[in-house]
């Protein structure tokens, strides 16, 4: 429902409401659209200031498949299930620190720390590497949001140093490829039966204040899965990605010329009133909730979707288990492009 931030060719009639409609995501993101649109020219909006290609996000077809296969191998249901008790333990420890203090920031404190712990456990990082990763994440995200390209590059270089360290360790000490992302990537072969390039391997290592809903969830934990899906629809983690036409394409009555990028904005799609009535409201048990694009669609659908759903459920369960009530306790902070949602959520807890 939006175009990329580029100059519109003459003759185009562009309206925010009908340029790209959420009813046609397969055209760009599904397998049928692969022949017409590619990700390797422009995938991120705004564009990556470093000008580099990171797999599998910016790879297509046979180049994309081995990286995605390697990551999917480590995110099977069996692996996610084995990670759950470990992450529940980590979440409980971090949540209790804030609850015992009486207040805290669910996003800036708990969310930042818990996310780093998830990366640590999924990637089998040692404590030192995990701490370095956590120290680089916030500067990288904040500089990306403010458009500080030099600082983005500096923080990104820190990620690559950590990734190379992990890759070198797994070369010397390989682990079960179904349990370790780096080992899985090293095991994978490309379409020519060659090992994947190390430069690309390192590129892969990377609340509502509603008392009625809160009380419902405390009384009926079975409502959590449906609640999470509606949260994902409302607060889509990433606004959207771009694809570039490789040939003349007619799309929703609009001629798209070759080499012209077009953006699918997940955040707008998930609030399309023609698909989701009352789109800005939280509606539990929407009949079509599974059609949301919070995790994308098609070949580039979020590889971490099973893990993301699990950790969000664990987070809510731990929050409810360790409190009898909680209230917003200050001004909310909201993300800027390209993310969407709350990045600061001060809360007062009642035990």
């Amino acid at each position: 429902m939006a175009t990329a931030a580029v100059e519109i060719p003459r003759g185009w009639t562009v309206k925010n409401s009908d340029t790209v409609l959420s009813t046609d995501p397969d055209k760009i993101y599904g397998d049928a659209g692969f022949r017409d649109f590619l990700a390797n020219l422009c995938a991120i909006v705004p564009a990556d200031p470093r000008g580099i290609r990171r797999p599998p996000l910016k790879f297509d077809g046979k180049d994309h498949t081995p990286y995605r296969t390697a990551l999917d191998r480590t995110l099977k249901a069996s692996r996610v299930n084995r990670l759950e008790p470990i992450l529940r333990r980590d979440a409980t420890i971090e949540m209790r620190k804030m609850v015992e203090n009486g207040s805290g920031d669910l996003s800036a404190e708990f969310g930042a720390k818990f996310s780093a712990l998830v990366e640590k456990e999924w990637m089998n990082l040692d404590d030192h590497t995990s701490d370095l990763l956590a120290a680089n994440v916030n500067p990288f995200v904040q500089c990306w949001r403010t458009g500080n390209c030099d600082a983005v590059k500096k923080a990104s270089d820190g990620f690559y140093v950590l990734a190379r360290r992990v890759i070198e360790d797994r070369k010397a000490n390989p682990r079960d490829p179904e349990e370790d992302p780096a080992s899985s990537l090293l095991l994978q072969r490309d379409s020519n039966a060659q090992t994947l390039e190390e430069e690309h391997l390192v590129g892969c290592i990377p609340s509502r204040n509603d008392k009625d809903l809160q009380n419902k969830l405390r009384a009926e934990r079975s409502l959590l899965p449906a609640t999470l899906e509606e949260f994902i629809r409302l607060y889509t983690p990433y606004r959207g990605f771009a694809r570039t036409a490789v040939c003349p394409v007619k799309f929703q009555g609009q001629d798209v010329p070759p080499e012209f990028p077009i953006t699918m904005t997940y955040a707008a799609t998930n609030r399309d009133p023609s698909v989701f009535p009352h789109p800005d409201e939280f509606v539990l048990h929407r009949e079509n909730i599974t059609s949301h694009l919070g995790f994308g669609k098609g070949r580039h659908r979020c590889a971490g979707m099973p893990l993301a759903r699990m950790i969000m459920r664990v987070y809510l369960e731990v929050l409810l288990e360790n409190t009898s009530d909680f209230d917003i306790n200050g001004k909310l902070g909201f993300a800027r492009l390209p993310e969407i949602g709350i990045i600061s959520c001060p809360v007062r807890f009642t035990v």
Side-chain angles (χ1 to χ4, degrees):
M1 300 184 73
T3 58
V6 294
E7 183 179 354
I8 303 300
R10 288 187 179 183
W12 277 49
T13 300
V14 177
K15 297 179 181 178
N16 186 53
S17 60
D18 61 13
T19 304
V20 181
L21 296 183
S22 61
T23 50
D24 287 331
D26 282 324
K27 184 65 178 177
I28 296 180
Y29 291 95
D31 291 340
F34 175 66
R35 296 182 299 273
D36 300 327
F37 293 91
L38 293 177
N40 61 19
L41 297 178
C42 178
I44 300 175
V45 180
D48 190 325
R50 298 159 296 172
I52 59 176
R53 293 175 65 206
R54 293 181 60 183
L57 179 63
K58 293 187 177 181
F59 280 38
D60 291 296
K62 65 181 182 180
D63 296 328
H64 168 270
T65 299
Y67 294 94
R68 182 55 184 257
T69 300
L71 294 177
D72 285 347
R73 185 185 291 126
T74 70
L75 289 162
K76 294 179 179 178
S78 56
R79 174 88 197 288
V80 173
N81 289 339
R82 287 193 292 273
L83 285 173
E84 181 170 341
I86 299 171
L87 295 175
R88 183 179 297 277
R89 175 205 64 198
D90 293 342
T92 300
I93 291 172
E94 295 304 317
M95 184 65 69
R96 285 178 178 172
K97 291 178 183 178
M98 291 198 305
V99 171
E100 289 172 2
N101 192 47
S103 63
D105 194 312
L106 284 175
S107 298
E109 292 180 54
F110 176 85
K113 181 64 174 179
F114 186 45
S115 297
L117 291 170
V118 171
E119 291 287 325
K120 174 186 177 182
E121 301 298 346
W122 175 54
M123 296 173 58
N124 300 298
L125 303 179
D126 58 46
D127 290 342
H128 178 62
T129 303
S130 177
D131 289 343
L132 289 175
L133 175 64
N136 273 277
V137 168
N138 190 58
F140 176 83
V141 172
Q142 294 304 324
C143 293
W144 182 273
R145 288 172 179 151
T146 57
N148 187 337
C149 296
D150 290 338
V152 167
K153 184 179 184 303
K154 181 178 179 180
S156 178
D157 289 344
F159 292 142
Y160 275 78
V161 169
L162 297 179
R164 290 189 178 94
R165 179 184 300 172
V166 172
I167 291 293
E168 289 304 313
D169 177 76
R170 299 306 189 267
K171 285 181 178 178
N173 306 288
R175 304 190 183 194
D176 182 346
E178 293 196 2
E179 298 284 335
D180 187 71
S183 298
S184 183
L185 286 162
L186 288 167
L187 176 71
Q188 197 65 39
R189 297 294 183 267
D190 64 17
S191 58
N192 296 314
Q194 301 298 309
T195 56
L196 304 180
E197 294 182 37
E198 183 166 322
E199 175 188 358
H200 294 152
L201 289 181
V202 297
C204 287
I205 305 297
S207 179
R208 286 161 45 93
N209 195 23
D210 187 329
K211 291 296 182 181
D212 289 339
L213 177 60
Q214 187 182 147
N215 292 333
K216 278 184 180 180
L217 295 178
R218 291 186 187 282
E220 300 179 63
R221 299 297 172 83
S222 62
L223 297 177
L224 279 173
T227 299
L228 288 173
E229 294 306 311
E230 180 67 348
F231 278 152
I232 295 166
R233 183 195 68 80
L234 270 173
Y235 304 109
T236 307
Y238 203 87
R239 293 178 190 259
F241 289 104
R243 297 291 182 266
T244 302
V246 296
C247 59
V249 180
K250 198 169 190 67
F251 187 68
Q252 289 292 321
Q254 182 71 65
D255 291 324
V256 181
E259 300 185 8
F260 194 80
I262 189 167
T263 300
M264 182 77 166
T265 308
Y266 301 150
T269 297
N270 286 338
R271 297 197 183 205
D272 185 340
S274 69
V275 179
F276 301 106
H278 309 290
D280 297 327
E281 298 177 11
F282 180 94
V283 179
L284 194 60
H285 298 307
R286 288 182 183 271
E287 293 183 0
N288 64 342
I289 188 59
T290 56
S291 65
H292 74 71
L293 297 182
F295 293 109
K297 188 179 179 68
R299 292 170 182 264
H300 288 276
R301 175 187 56 79
C302 177
M305 181 175 67
L307 182 61
R309 282 193 167 114
M310 182 268 282
I311 63 175
M312 287 189 289
R313 174 175 52 79
V314 166
Y315 152 67
L316 279 178
E317 288 173 348
V318 168
L319 175 62
L320 295 171
E321 288 166 2
N322 285 273
T323 63
S324 62
D325 193 15
F326 57 86
D327 295 279
I328 303 298
N329 189 36
K331 185 178 180 180
L332 298 176
F334 290 87
R336 296 175 59 185
L337 191 72
E339 295 92 359
I340 187 172
I342 296 169
I343 57 174
S344 178
C345 181
V347 171
R348 181 178 62 253
F349 303 103
T350 301
V351 180

